[in-house]
């Protein structure tokens, strides 16, 4: 298979994208629809800790939170997955047990991707071997910007193969790609190479996820679905810490890809602090008053 | 690539739906009955007659408004003439400017009330009234207030002089905004005004009369008369009116032009349109689809410059139409006061009947009709967003202005064919070009005979930009510096 060339790609008009996003943000989501959205957001969170200072203890805490978000709120879902470094996969797997929460591991020399291909593949195999259900890889942005699309493509193909049964999320690191045209190109390239999910960012580079970037990626997913019938998932990551913003993402998802994507199987939020704000909003919907953030566990 | 004809479709029908999010109406004050605003006061019509104005979304009566007859028009023109002779034409231009700034600021302060009333009286979505109509109306007053003392700079080496009394007749699609378009430049140039809002949407003009009272304008500088076509005719035919500004249908424009022939009244007419929105194959398709939606479904298509004809290059036609149809499924038709509503109510029963007649005609002519959604409220006037495909240049739905949410889609092969089709119309108000190539924008833009051309966007308005038509779309320009000369004698 060959990588798609930029000349043959759909064009993106940044001004138009911003205007469309403004329309999503003007949707007013209240009452029952808000509660439904908040619950959906919770169920779509990849609760994440990706820091140099991570320890097994920290990961265990995070897994506890993932399983018991806020026990005083009845009938709330658990998050979709816990996202950690490969070294923490085993610990997370053990802590989550049979909860149904997936373990996602970043790999391929996250976040820079600056390692030889065989090292990256080994890392994926290691993480999968330790029990990772999902692999979040980064593309080689340098090669992409150099125009070596085929190399980027081939690497993703190889990573997908190394994943075996694990799901592959491909991080484009859109903050380093520069233009929405390139975001669109990289999205298509990743999907054609076999990505199960495409993901905006590592969270280590600013800007991380934005609504315009996510919209362009959703439109790429939609066109790829039109063409092939294969659904690809979407994961905006980094910078989404407020429930209101997350709901606007859901509005955008709903009005771009429709109902089929409105589930943790096809849409995830990569976030660490989003869950607590969503919980606070849910509590507010139930009781009519905001509680202090000290009522919600910080892990 | 397999585009457009894909068997894979998206589902927007089920699942998560938005709960109603109605804008509150508690803060809105609408009186049971409104008189005429003449000489700075609300006075009963000499005709003694009143008529109802209703909410087209539920057919409930909002208020009774006065029907101005010929005697009332005479009274208003006399008041305007007095105000012109004794105060307004003698006032220092900078002082005139202050009054206009004051109007602008009060509109901004009361923006929410204006937006809600505009939506209730006319049927437009609150989102549009709130984000477009009212802010733009205020912006027009701000813009022209600034010109009041700078007319000499607008027309160097000439002597701009005010005209006298301006008779202004405005339509029902953007009631307050059109009042602003008319009143702001007239006042800035030193004229006084007799304004008649449309029969179906008089309320924000009457609210504007309250603003004018609050701004303490000298009595008679702005007079507002409600009424029907006969009121408009009395204004047009009044001997002491120096200028007529009309926005409305081409048919009425013809009648007015005929009536004015042989008089020395100046006039500007802003009339109908049948704009072509041209999508080239190299356009950013997803954003173009959004532009098509904005061009034809904005304000239920009650827009003289609406992009009511879509010309799409054949190689991308299937893709564009398929995407457009999916996009239309996410449009929310319903309660205009709901903040999530995209398409509100049709302005009146009469307009709905006109639109429906065209829907039937289109099908009789052999065009293929596509509509989506059928959840119309039981009361009120509603039309689902509609596409016609398989249409030709000879179809009446391609040639005539429908003034509703109805889009006729044609294809073209070459740039020349697109230009020929775009220009093959009696109208020439606006047009749209969608392409990634800058050079193409300029070459096509220069060939389209229309007053406004938008490139990679549509329905963008700004007080600094002139607006007006070629051919039967009108005479003269409103807005911007050009809009000043319509209210001045230049020696």
């Amino acid at each position: 298979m060959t990588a798609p060339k930029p000349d043959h790609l759909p064009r993106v008009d940044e001004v138009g994208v911003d205007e469309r996003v403004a329309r999503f943000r003007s949707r007013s989501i209240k009452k029952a629809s808000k509660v439904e959205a908040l619950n959906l957001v919770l169920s779509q969170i990849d609760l994440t800790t990706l820091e140099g200072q991570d320890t097994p203890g920290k990961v265990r805490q995070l897994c506890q939170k993932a399983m018991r978000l806020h026990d005083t709120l009845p009938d709330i879902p658990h998050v979709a997955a816990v996202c950690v470094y490969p070294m923490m996969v085993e610990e997370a797997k053990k802590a989550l047990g049979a909860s149904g929460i997936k373990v996602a591991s970043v790999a391929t020399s996250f976040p820079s991707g600056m390692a030889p291909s065989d090292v990256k593949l080994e890392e994926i195999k290691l993480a999968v071997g330790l029990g990772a259900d999902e692999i979040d890889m980064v593309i080689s942005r340098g090669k992409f910007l150099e125009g070596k699309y085929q190399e980027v493509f081939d690497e993703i193909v190889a990573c997908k193969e190394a994943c075996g049964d694990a799901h592959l999320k491909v991080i484009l690191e859109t903050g380093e790609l520069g233009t929405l045209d390139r975001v669109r190109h990289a999205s298509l390239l990743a999907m054609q190479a076999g990505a199960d999910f495409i993901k905006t960012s590592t969270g280590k580079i600013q800007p991380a996820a934005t609504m315009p970037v996510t919209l362009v990626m959703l439109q790429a997913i939609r066109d790829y679905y039109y063409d092939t019938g294969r659904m690809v998932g979407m994961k905006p990551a980094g910078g989404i810490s407020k429930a209101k913003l997350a709901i606007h993402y859901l509005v955008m998802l709903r009005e771009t890809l429709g109902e089929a994507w409105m589930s943790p199987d096809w849409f995830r939020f990569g976030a660490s602090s989003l869950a607590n704000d969503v919980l606070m909003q849910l509590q507010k919907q139930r009781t009519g008053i905001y509680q202090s953030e000290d009522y919600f566990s910080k892990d | 690539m397999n585009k457009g004809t894909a068997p894979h479709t998206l589902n927007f029908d089920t699942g998560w739906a938005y709960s109603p999010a109605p804008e509150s109406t508690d803060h809105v004050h609408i009186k049971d009955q409104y008189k005429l605003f003449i000489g700075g006061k609300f006075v009963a019509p000499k005709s003694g007659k009143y008529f109802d104005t209703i909410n087209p979304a539920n057919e409930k009566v909002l208020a009774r408004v006065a029907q101005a007859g010929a005697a009332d028009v005479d009274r208003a023109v006399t008041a305007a003439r007095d105000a012109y002779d004794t105060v307004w034409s003698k006032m220092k231009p900078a002082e005139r400017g202050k009054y206009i700034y004051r109007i602008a600021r009060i509109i901004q302060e009361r923006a929410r009330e204006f937006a809600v009333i505009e939506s209730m009286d006319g049927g437009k979505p609150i989102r549009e009234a709130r984000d477009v109509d009212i802010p733009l109306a205020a912006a027009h007053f701000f813009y022209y207030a600034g010109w009041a003392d700078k007319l000499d700079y607008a027309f160097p080496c000439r002597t701009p002089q005010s005209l006298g009394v301006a008779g202004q007749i405005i339509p029902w699609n953007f009631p307050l905004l059109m009042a602003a378009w008319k009143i702001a430049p007239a006042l800035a140039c030193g004229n006084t005004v007799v304004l008649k809002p449309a029969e179906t949407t008089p309320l924000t003009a009457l609210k504007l009369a309250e603003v004018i009272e609050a701004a303490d304008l000298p009595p008679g500088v702005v007079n507002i008369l409600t009424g029907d076509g006969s009121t408009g005719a009395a204004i047009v035919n009044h001997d002491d009116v120096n200028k007529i500004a009309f926005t409305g249908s081409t048919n009425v424009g013809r009648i007015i032009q005929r009536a004015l022939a042989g008089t020395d009244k100046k006039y500007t007419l802003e009339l109908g349109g049948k704009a072509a929105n041209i999508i080239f194959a190299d356009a950013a398709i997803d954003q173009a689809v959004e532009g098509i939606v904005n061009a034809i479904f904005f304000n239920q298509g009650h827009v003289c410059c609406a992009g009511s004809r879509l010309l799409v290059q054949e190689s991308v036609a299937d893709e564009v139409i398929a995407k457009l149809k999916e996009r239309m499924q996410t449009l929310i038709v319903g309660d205009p006061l709901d903040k999530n509503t995209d398409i509100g109510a049709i302005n009146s029963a009469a307009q709905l009947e006109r639109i429906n007649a065209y829907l039937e005609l289109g099908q009789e002519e052999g065009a293929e009709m596509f509509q989506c959604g059928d959840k119309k409220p039981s009361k009120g006037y509603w039309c689902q967003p509609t596409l016609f495909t398989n249409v030709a240049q000879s179809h009446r739905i391609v040639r005539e202005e429908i003034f509703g949410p109805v889009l006729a889609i044609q294809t073209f092969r070459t740039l020349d064919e697109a230009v020929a089709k775009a220009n093959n119309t009696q109208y020439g108000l606006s047009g749209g070009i969608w392409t990634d190539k800058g050079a193409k924008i300029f070459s096509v833009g220069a060939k389209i005979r229309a007053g406004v051309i938008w490139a990679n966007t549509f329905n963008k308005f700004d007080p600094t930009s002139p607006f007006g038509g070629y051919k039967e779309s009108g005479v003269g320009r409103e807005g911007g510096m050009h809009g000043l000369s319509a209210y001045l004698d230049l020696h």
Side-chain angles (χ1 to χ4, degrees), chain A residues 163-212:
Chain A
C163 280
D165 290 336
H167 270 230
L168 178 65
K169 303 191 199 114
V170 178
I171 302 172
L172 310 180
E173 194 64 304
T174 53
E176 290 188 339
L177 296 183
T179 67
L180 293 180
D181 279 314
R182 279 196 218 113
V183 169
R184 179 93 191 209
H185 180 196
S187 300
L188 181 63
L189 184 148
M191 289 186 290
Q192 289 190 347
D196 296 303
F197 262 72
I198 50 177
K199 174 174 168 185
T200 57
S201 322
T202 60
K204 304 293 182 194
I205 293 283
Q206 289 301 323
T210 65
M211 286 186 70

Side-chain angles (χ1 to χ4, degrees), chain A residues 23 27-28 222 226-227 259, chain B residues 2 11 286 326 340 342:
Chain A
R23 282 291 291 275
R27 289 282 193 225
S28 177
R222 179 205 51 197
Y226 282 156
D227 288 343
E259 193 49 36
Chain B
N2 160 24
N11 168 24
D286 287 319
E326 293 223 305
N340 290 326
D342 297 309

Side-chain angles (χ1 to χ4, degrees), chain B residues 226-486:
Chain B
T226 47
D228 57 12
S230 69
T231 312
I235 294 173
V236 169
N237 292 315
H238 197 287
D239 287 339
D240 204 25
V241 167
N242 303 95
K243 144 96 189 179
I244 293 294
F246 171 76
T247 298
S249 71
T250 293
N251 275 339
V252 175
R254 284 199 192 96
I255 295 168
I256 291 175
Q257 212 170 9
R258 226 174 277 142
L260 296 179
T263 73
D264 62 353
K265 293 174 195 167
K266 277 186 86 152
Y267 59 90
T268 42
L269 305 172
E270 203 267 274
L271 309 174
K274 192 76 183 176
N277 205 4
I278 306 173
I279 316 287
F280 288 99
D282 60 5
I285 297 296
D286 287 319
Q287 285 74 57
V289 166
E290 212 45 45
I292 296 165
V293 167
N294 184 34
I296 185 60
F297 300 131
F298 176 55
N299 199 28
Q300 296 75 248
H302 302 327
V303 185
C304 45
C305 52
S308 49
R309 289 187 291 152
L310 176 65
L311 297 176
V312 53
Q313 198 149 22
E314 268 186 28
S315 58
V316 292
D318 288 346
E319 181 189 356
V320 167
I321 293 167
K323 284 186 168 176
L324 183 57
K325 286 178 175 175
E326 293 223 305
R327 172 68 179 92
M328 284 166 68
Q329 291 174 46
T330 61
L331 291 172
I332 300 173
V333 183
D335 179 10
L337 282 177
D338 192 306
K339 287 173 238 172
N340 290 326
T341 292
D342 297 309
I343 298 184
I346 297 301
N347 185 266
S348 64
Q351 186 58 26
L352 180 60
E353 202 178 307
R354 225 167 287 150
I355 295 168
N356 283 337
Y358 274 108
L359 297 187
E360 270 177 39
L361 179 70
Q363 295 173 84
E364 274 167 31
E365 283 179 317
E368 237 168 82
M369 187 168 86
F370 171 85
Q371 290 184 314
C372 56
D374 47 9
K375 288 169 274 181
K376 293 184 201 174
S378 54
K379 277 278 191 180
Y381 315 126
W382 306 96
C383 179
Q384 298 304 122
T386 306
L387 302 183
F388 277 112
T389 50
N390 196 23
V391 297
Q393 199 67 14
S394 55
H395 280 109
R396 278 181 62 195
I397 52 168
V398 171
R399 308 203 67 79
E400 297 174 16
E401 184 179 41
I402 299 173
F403 223 61
V406 183
L407 178 66
I409 304 179
Q410 295 172 273
T411 59
F412 66 91
R413 293 155 299 174
T414 63
L415 187 152
D416 289 341
E417 186 185 355
V419 169
K421 280 181 166 160
N423 283 334
N424 180 211
T425 167
Q426 74 195 79
Y427 297 110
L429 192 53
S430 67
I433 303 168
W434 296 81
T435 168
D436 210 30
K437 270 203 167 140
K440 204 184 281 177
I441 292 171
F442 289 107
S443 81
V444 175
K447 288 172 186 156
I448 303 292
R449 298 184 62 213
V452 186
I453 308 280
W454 286 291
N456 293 330
T457 188
F458 210 97
N459 276 339
K460 282 278 179 300
F461 306 98
D462 191 280
T464 61
S465 170
F467 186 90
Y470 280 49
K471 298 192 268 187
E472 290 180 31
S473 285
V475 180
R477 294 291 179 268
E478 293 182 310
M481 217 166 75
H482 303 64
L484 293 169
S485 56

Side-chain angles (χ1 to χ4, degrees), chain B residues 33-45:
Chain B
Q33 182 166 298
Y34 282 93
K35 299 174 186 170
L36 305 170
F37 186 67
I38 299 176
K41 288 194 293 272
F42 282 96
V43 297

Side-chain angles (χ1 to χ4, degrees), chain A residues 50-62:
Chain A
L50 294 169
E51 287 170 18
Q53 56 181 346
D54 285 349
T55 58
K58 159 80 183 176
V59 170
R60 279 197 299 275
Q61 278 183 48
L62 197 74

